[in-house]
Amino acid sequence: MAGYNLIDEQWIPVMTGTGHARLGLRDVFREAGRIRLSTDTFERFVLTRFMSAILLRAVTRANPADPKSVWAGMWESGRLDVDAIDAYLTEWHDRFDLFAPATPFMQDPTLDTRRGPRPISGIFTQEQTGLFTMDRRAEIPYDDAALALLMHQAYDSSGIKPMSKHDSRGSVGKLMPPTGLMACGNLGRQIGVWVESDSLARTLLANCPPYDPVTGRVTLDPADTAAWERPCQTVEELGRGVAGTADQLTIQSRRVLLHRNDNGMVDGYQSTYGRVTDRRDLEGVEPNCAWTRGSLPMPVGQHWSDPPAWVNLPGLDGNMVLEWLADTDLCDMVDLHLTGFEYKNTKPAEQLERDVRLDPHILKDEQRMMRLGRILGQISVTITFLIDLKHIRVGDAIQVEPVERERMRAESAREIDDLMTASLASGNPLDETLPDRTYHRLHEFAERKALASRNVMRAAEALIKLEHAMGAVRNALSEPQTVEPGPNETQSDIPKRGRRGTPIIRINPDDTRVTHETMRAAVEWLHDNGYPGAQPPNVYSAINRGGTAYGYRWERQKKT
């Protein structure tokens, strides 16, 4: 039976000038300046990483001297280096055949689990969790199978897997999750951070920096090769790191083997653990994630909240893609996407997507980002009181129906989202020229919720916080106001107004201690350093129980 080579066959969904189409890899790269991917967000992300690895390997090998200039030249022309990419695809042509007997693309030709092939519908539904798609077909065409294979490598669940006959680990035909490692697919459980531009060519250039923008290290390590440049992954490999960006983008986290029938359709697959890597020390290597302070990819659930992507902007410091774009003059506006899966009981349970259009250069404006962090923290508090109706108890006399409450919640969330999205998309974030009607609508919703609250103090607090947050947004770009001393005081007397708060000590993971003058100063520091939703009650709770909050231990400074 004939093979199915991803370089020549038409399998990648794109939007052309005349409508939707499917193209092979060679044609996609040739037409990249005039097309965009047209599938769902998660498949676009996975395809972008896959094609970025090809671009990175092909062009940096052909132009090793000054990759930054080469990338800038391709961006200006809107075209990729087709000659270098064609030569690379020709060199590795045989490795892109989905059904090559000895080297099937991203698969293990020797895989033979004791359980045998499973129905192909399982590769979509993840053991009937209903994610990725609701596909229940008994057989699928080759183009869909290629997409499903890439998604499976990226987001497959963990848990017990069928044991291969070649595996020494495991028993009774079962392979348990590897201890101490993130056992889901290579992108599972982490926040994916990526951007899209006005064409596929510029999207790929934006998402695969040819060097680490922080250290300046060029991505040209001879050991940093893509999966198809190495022998097929035929044995389980646990705990080893990666050689570089191309290696990280193409990890085969699963040993997979697709099965096809005589009708020219894929009707089954086998899958078990493949290369499960140690995710530490990936900074400067993994381009598409945010980072914890321990240099680990930031997991979904940490630093993730109901509002859209703009709430998380202060926590994206160190992301290679955003640092690369902010460090160059390649583009003014991009669509930033945050994507991820929440897993429950080892299975992906919820798809999470956030996006916002912005100018990446604002991330290099330290003063503006510090203000943004403080303002987003204030808005986050506002959202807590005004949007999450679990905190607003409805009075019996008002009788607001659940449907109406949900409508109010959705409209309020949309208004705040529209406010921030419009300001970021304007290229002048948090500009005070935004239309006043946004504020009026927010006040209207807030007042309606306040009227529905039994607790008068809670309603008043919500309105005060709304005023505070919206005022901060309105004045975000204004110069700090200088407080003039009164007639009977000097400038040095001004900070002494009011009761002085107790100093708060932050204890870092390395046991170094930093003193903040007040709780407010401590929380503002958190807002400016990746935790825009930080609130004083959580820090006080950590102090009282001797625990942690936002990754730190806290103490009150003892009076002397």
Side-chain angles (χ1 to χ4, degrees), residues 49 51 71 123 132 172 225 229 236 251 258 372-373 413 417 428 447 452 471 488:
R49 285 172 62 88
M51 290 187 285
W71 250 243
I123 204 171
F132 301 145
V172 198
T225 57
E229 298 179 49
E236 185 183 43
I251 287 175
L258 299 176
L372 179 62
D417 183 21
N428 194 15
E447 289 166 0
N488 298 318

Side-chain angles (χ1 to χ4, degrees), residues 317-553:
D317 184 47
N319 172 261
M320 282 181 67
V321 170
L322 295 179
E323 291 277 354
W324 150 249
L325 292 177
D327 193 44
T328 66
D329 295 323
L330 294 184
C331 66
D332 293 326
M333 302 298 291
V334 293
D335 294 313
L336 170 66
H337 301 285
L338 303 183
T339 57
F341 277 94
E342 275 197 323
Y343 290 71
K344 294 181 180 178
N345 298 324
T346 76
K347 307 298 182 185
E350 184 181 358
Q351 293 178 346
L352 300 170
E353 301 178 44
R354 308 286 186 267
D355 58 83
V356 67
R357 187 166 179 80
L358 55 77
D359 178 354
H361 294 96
I362 71 166
L363 302 176
K364 283 295 185 181
D365 187 334
E366 293 185 5
Q367 183 179 8
R368 184 172 292 179
M369 286 304 295
M370 287 176 66
R371 287 182 181 174
L372 179 62
R374 288 194 294 269
I375 291 164
L376 294 185
Q378 294 161 344
I379 289 180
S380 179
V381 173
T382 304
I383 289 170
T384 299
F385 282 91
L386 300 183
I387 294 181
D388 187 351
L389 290 179
K390 290 182 294 185
H391 295 283
I392 302 292
R393 292 174 291 185
V394 178
D396 296 333
I398 303 298
Q399 292 298 321
V400 179
E401 296 294 330
V403 173
E404 173 67 6
R405 299 209 322 266
E406 176 57 28
R407 187 184 70 79
M408 290 167 60
R409 185 204 66 78
E411 288 180 353
S412 300
R414 186 168 61 250
E415 288 293 338
I416 293 178
D417 183 21
D418 288 346
L419 171 70
M420 294 301 297
T421 300
S423 65
L424 287 168
S426 70
N428 194 15
L430 308 180
D431 194 347
E432 59 185 354
T433 61
L434 289 170
D436 288 339
R437 55 188 174 85
T438 301
Y439 297 96
H440 295 321
R441 288 177 184 167
L442 283 171
H443 277 291
E444 179 185 346
F445 295 133
E447 289 166 0
R448 291 171 63 186
K449 290 178 183 177
L451 290 174
S453 175
R454 284 181 180 174
N455 190 323
V456 176
M457 292 304 296
R458 175 166 289 175
E461 183 179 13
L463 288 171
I464 290 170
K465 288 182 181 295
L466 174 73
E467 288 284 354
H468 186 59
M470 293 298 100
V473 172
R474 186 181 288 277
N475 298 319
L477 293 182
S478 62
E479 292 298 322
Q481 299 296 314
T482 302
V483 179
E484 296 296 332
N488 298 318
E489 63 184 359
T490 63
Q491 189 73 38
S492 60
D493 294 325
I494 294 175
K496 298 179 181 179
R497 288 178 176 173
R499 183 171 60 88
R500 183 178 298 276
T502 302
I504 301 297
I505 299 174
R506 185 183 81 248
I507 305 174
N508 296 322
D510 60 359
D511 289 332
T512 57
R513 303 165 76 89
V514 179
T515 301
H516 300 275
E517 291 186 0
T518 62
M519 175 61 75
R520 179 176 179 177
V523 172
E524 286 185 352
W525 183 90
L526 288 168
H527 292 170
D528 295 341
N529 289 272
Y531 295 95
Q535 299 181 37
N538 295 332
V539 179
Y540 280 126
S541 176
I543 292 173
N544 293 332
R545 72 174 189 275
T548 62
Y550 308 107
Y552 301 94
R553 288 177 291 137

Side-chain angles (χ1 to χ4, degrees), residues 79-277:
R79 297 181 67 253
L80 303 177
D81 187 345
V82 175
D83 292 339
I85 295 171
D86 274 346
Y88 180 82
L89 293 177
T90 299
E91 179 182 357
W92 298 102
H93 186 274
D94 293 344
R95 294 299 305 272
F96 286 86
D97 189 335
L98 206 58
F99 302 108
T103 56
F105 173 74
M106 297 285 280
Q107 297 172 74
D108 175 5
T110 69
L111 185 63
D112 185 10
T113 64
R114 299 183 181 183
R115 183 175 179 175
R118 302 166 53 197
I120 192 60
S121 60
I123 204 171
F124 289 102
T125 59
Q126 296 296 294
E127 300 289 355
Q128 308 304 314
T129 60
L131 287 183
F132 301 145
T133 71
M134 294 300 291
D135 208 316
R136 296 292 190 273
R137 289 174 290 174
E139 55 185 21
I140 60 175
Y142 295 162
D143 53 1
D144 287 348
L147 282 171
L149 175 62
L150 293 176
M151 289 289 289
H152 187 72
Q153 294 283 8
Y155 289 112
D156 183 40
S157 60
S158 56
I160 299 173
K161 301 291 182 184
M163 180 180 175
S164 169
K165 294 180 179 178
H166 305 294
D167 286 330
S168 57
R169 190 176 71 88
S171 62
V172 198
K174 298 179 180 180
L175 204 58
M176 304 302 290
T179 303
L181 296 172
M182 196 76 78
C184 50
N186 188 41
L187 294 178
R189 297 188 187 277
Q190 73 184 48
I191 299 176
V193 182
W194 61 293
V195 300
E196 284 187 297
S197 188
D198 55 1
S199 69
L200 177 60
R202 287 176 173 161
T203 295
L204 296 179
L205 291 168
N207 282 283
C208 60
Y211 69 98
D212 179 1
V214 176
T215 64
R217 182 180 62 84
V218 177
T219 312
L220 289 174
D221 189 332
D224 181 23
T225 57
W228 46 84
E229 298 179 49
R230 302 188 295 270
C232 291
Q233 187 79 38
T234 59
V235 296
E236 185 183 43
E237 189 176 317
L238 305 179
R240 188 168 65 88
V242 296
T245 299
D247 187 10
Q248 173 67 12
L249 292 174
T250 60
I251 287 175
Q252 288 181 245
S253 64
R254 299 294 181 264
R255 288 171 290 158
V256 184
L257 186 61
L258 299 176
H259 292 257
R260 56 177 174 168
N261 57 30
D262 295 336
N263 299 326
M265 304 283 279
V266 175
D267 61 359
Y269 78 108
Q270 298 182 76
S271 176
T272 191
Y273 288 114
R275 184 180 171 198
V276 183
T277 58

Side-chain angles (χ1 to χ4, degrees), residues 45-67:
F45 181 31
V46 169
L47 283 169
T48 296
R49 285 172 62 88
F50 164 56
M51 290 187 285
S52 292
I54 296 175
L55 173 64
L56 194 65
R57 289 293 296 151
V59 179
T60 54
R61 290 201 312 169
N63 304 275
D66 188 4

